[in-house]
Amino acid sequence: MTTTQLPTTVRKKGVRPPDRPGRPRRREGAAWVFLSPWVLGACVLTLLPMAVSLYLSFTDYDLFSAPNWVGLRNYTQMFTEDPRYWRSVATTLMYVVIAVPLQLALALLVALALRNMKRGRGFYRSAFYAPSLLGASMSIALVWRAIFNDGGTVDNLLGTGGWVNRPGWALFAVALLTVWQFGAPMVIFLAGLQQIPGELYEAAEVDGASVWRRFLSITVPMLSPVIFFNLVLQTIQAFQVFTPAFAISAGKGGPADSTLFYTLYLYDRGFVASHMGYASAMAWVLLFAIGAVTAILFRTSRSWVFYASEGDR
Amino acid sequence: MTSTTSATPLLRKPVAWRRVALHAGCLAALLVMLYPLAWLLATSVKPADEVIASLDLLPSRLQWSNYETALDGVNDVSVGRLLGNSLLIAGGAVVGNVLSCSLAAYAFARLRFRFRGPLFAFMIATIMLPHHAVLIPQYIIFNQLGMVNTYWPLILPKFLATEAFFVFLIVQFMRGLPRELEEAARIDGCGPFRSFLSVILPLTRPALITTAIFTFIWTWNDFFTQLIYLFSPEKFTLTLALRSFVDASSTSAFGPMFAMSVIALLPIVLFFLAFQRFLVEGMANSGIKG
């Protein structure tokens, strides 16, 4: 943020401080006109709904009769009496822990491979990026279900049987679909790699550092802000995965609740079973969980994320 | 922002075989990755008896009738109608996002006002906010307004700059524009509205195009919101119509189902081919140059 507060003495009522060259101009009225759609949206579609959903999480509400205050019952029921809830938590956590690191590792590997490529880099970059856009669609989720089904390609190739109808395996099918979409973080890695000054590598090479050594001592530290950015972004997204789980399990989270992702269960409680209060409580726990994970990532980042140009950031 | 820094200079001239190996590896990876797409195309023209029974990727004969069945649509709603619905929603979202996000971004990037710092921080924080935390009350609000099962809940929020990601993207871009432009405009007598319209907005075009393309593709792919708000088959989008196939897993419906999947993917593929430059650059620039 570059906001510089003007000295208060100049900010007398009705006296507009003189515009200083090179600084944003103070135009209170105009600014609020520009901001008005956003302010309206932030109040009506973000802040108010957050307050309402917090309130609803302490009620029984089926959308038709008035909400009925039940205190903490939704939360206690969730934590102590609902094995399916814990199942959805475990499924989602396992998926995040498997899919995100694999996806980021692959993205970094391919970005490193493409970095020094002279010819064809643009082509590969676009081609590897394409699944990131297509993969979010229902179409590809349906393809995934068929390929990983009994008698599908994976079954034929590996003889493991279908993955999507075996409780221990269905999760991996969803995780692989996420890994397949490594193009988006790869593009960001590639842009980050191009910011690393080549002289660092030259100096390291003169000192006789091996490829691995250069990777660990130059690439990783210099790229750490970008690694961190991708890690936070992909983790937040992974917590909210929905479409592939819905497609693979026909919206039911099967087999044996093995693809009952958190958001799928939230949808099931709220919009199928009409327990809006319970679903709101689930949403707030998700909000807290994502907040907590992000906070932990930020906290640990102090020890491994390295900002080379702290000054001009 | 658009300037791409040149690649890290090569240190050693890589040996020829290493370069060949690199390309071979990349091509092999690409082939594996493209397999699901090839499978989709092949299956969409496979006769029903070959979908499961045959191990070949290529069909023995082309069954175009899959596409004829798909064009008839789902639940007596033609594909033309579904396509129109999808286009209407995606088009509305694009207009809404570009308009509202560029307005908000201009204020954050170029104007000074009270509470700018905290408001900007709040805007950034909403990028991380999971959709689900506001979903149910939003549904209740739209339900109270009688807007459930209409397109309003899918389009209206975009006119209120609720997708902070794009506000941020445009802010980042606008910050890179030189101040002198507006100062010159001001000397020529332009107010903030005029300099927004005539000076800043035209220069922000790359960021606006990125916003438009991403909004289109994300809205097109969006499933959750459509699933919640739309329930009359004639209001369905292509994505939602595909859902009707989710429950029906009989192999006889396989061909038409994937024919329809191809139709639903086509706009994204076309957008990607036409704008891949903007998309890739837009992704690369989406906030890492803080």
Side-chain angles (χ1 to χ4, degrees), chain A residues 4 24-25 27-28 45 49 53 119 124-126 133 137 139 145-146 153 156 180 205 242 250 263 283, chain B residues 5 11-12 23 33 35 39 55 112-114 132-133 136-138 186 192 214 221 224 246 261 272 276 281:
Chain A
T4 332
R25 297 170 58 200
R27 289 291 187 115
E28 281 286 335
L45 292 173
S53 88
R119 223 178 296 171
Y124 288 123
R125 196 171 71 150
S126 292
L133 295 174
S137 66
S139 303
R145 183 175 70 165
T153 312
N156 289 324
W180 187 63
E205 208 169 2
F242 182 79
T263 52
Chain B
T5 347
L11 310 171
R12 244 182 287 163
H23 277 279
M33 287 185 64
Y35 175 82
W39 186 95
L55 297 182
R112 302 191 64 200
F113 50 91
R114 229 175 303 171
H132 307 86
I136 289 166
Q138 278 186 6
R186 189 162 54 93
F214 271 111
N221 278 339
F224 196 43
V246 167
S261 298
F272 179 73
Q276 39 123 340
E281 297 292 328

Side-chain angles (χ1 to χ4, degrees), chain A residues 48-289:
Chain A
L48 174 72
M50 282 180 76
V52 172
S53 88
L54 183 62
Y55 163 71
L56 285 180
S57 75
F58 299 109
T59 67
D60 236 351
Y61 183 50
D62 62 1
L63 211 60
F64 304 108
S65 41
N68 175 32
W69 184 268
V70 294
L72 286 172
R73 209 185 70 198
N74 286 327
Y75 292 93
T76 51
Q77 191 186 344
M78 198 168 17
F79 292 139
T80 58
E81 297 159 34
D82 189 353
R84 290 192 84 198
Y85 174 79
W86 285 111
R87 186 74 225 221
S88 76
V89 170
T91 303
T92 307
L93 285 179
M94 198 152 117
Y95 158 79
V96 170
V97 169
I98 294 169
V100 174
L102 268 179
Q103 188 202 37
L104 291 185
L106 200 58
L108 182 56
L109 189 75
V110 176
L112 286 170
L114 296 188
R115 169 173 55 169
N116 283 341
M117 200 178 263
K118 274 242 165 95
R119 223 178 296 171
R121 187 173 62 173
F123 164 74
Y124 288 123
R125 196 171 71 150
S126 292
F128 283 126
Y129 179 61
S132 294
L133 295 174
L134 304 176
S137 66
M138 189 42 108
S139 303
I140 296 297
L142 290 173
V143 169
W144 226 255
R145 183 175 70 165
I147 288 180
F148 285 91
N149 212 332
D150 254 341
T153 312
V154 172
D155 180 15
N156 289 324
L157 224 57
L158 306 175
T160 53
W163 287 18
V164 296
N165 33 36
R166 293 170 60 185
W169 291 72
L171 181 70
F172 294 100
V174 182
L176 266 186
L177 176 53
T178 308
V179 175
W180 187 63
Q181 302 171 50
F182 69 81
M186 176 207 72
V187 167
I188 297 176
F189 276 140
L190 206 50
L193 284 172
Q194 286 172 15
Q195 314 271 326
I196 304 177
E199 303 90 66
L200 289 178
Y201 291 100
E202 278 158 31
E205 208 169 2
V206 171
D207 289 347
S210 67
V211 176
W212 181 240
R213 183 79 228 179
R214 274 176 283 166
F215 173 73
L216 281 184
S217 305
I218 301 172
T219 310
V220 171
M222 291 299 284
L223 202 61
S224 56
V226 181
I227 297 176
F228 178 64
F229 176 83
N230 271 334
L231 182 66
V232 172
L233 210 68
Q234 297 301 326
T235 306
I236 292 175
Q237 273 175 22
F239 268 105
Q240 301 175 59
V241 68
F242 182 79
T243 310
F246 189 96
I248 279 173
S249 67
K252 295 181 183 72
D257 283 349
S258 64
T259 56
L260 188 70
F261 283 86
Y262 198 92
T263 52
L264 197 56
Y265 190 47
L266 191 152
Y267 164 77
D268 176 75
R269 291 294 88 196
F271 293 91
V272 181
S274 287
H275 293 316
M276 289 293 184
Y278 197 79
S280 298
M282 281 189 72
W284 269 87
V285 175
L286 179 67
L287 180 64
F288 266 104

Side-chain angles (χ1 to χ4, degrees), chain B residues 156-173:
Chain B
L156 206 58
K158 317 277 177 173
F159 277 87
L160 300 178
T162 45
E163 296 209 38
F165 174 79
F166 294 115
V167 180
F168 180 63
L169 187 89
I170 304 172
V171 165
Q172 291 292 91
F173 193 90

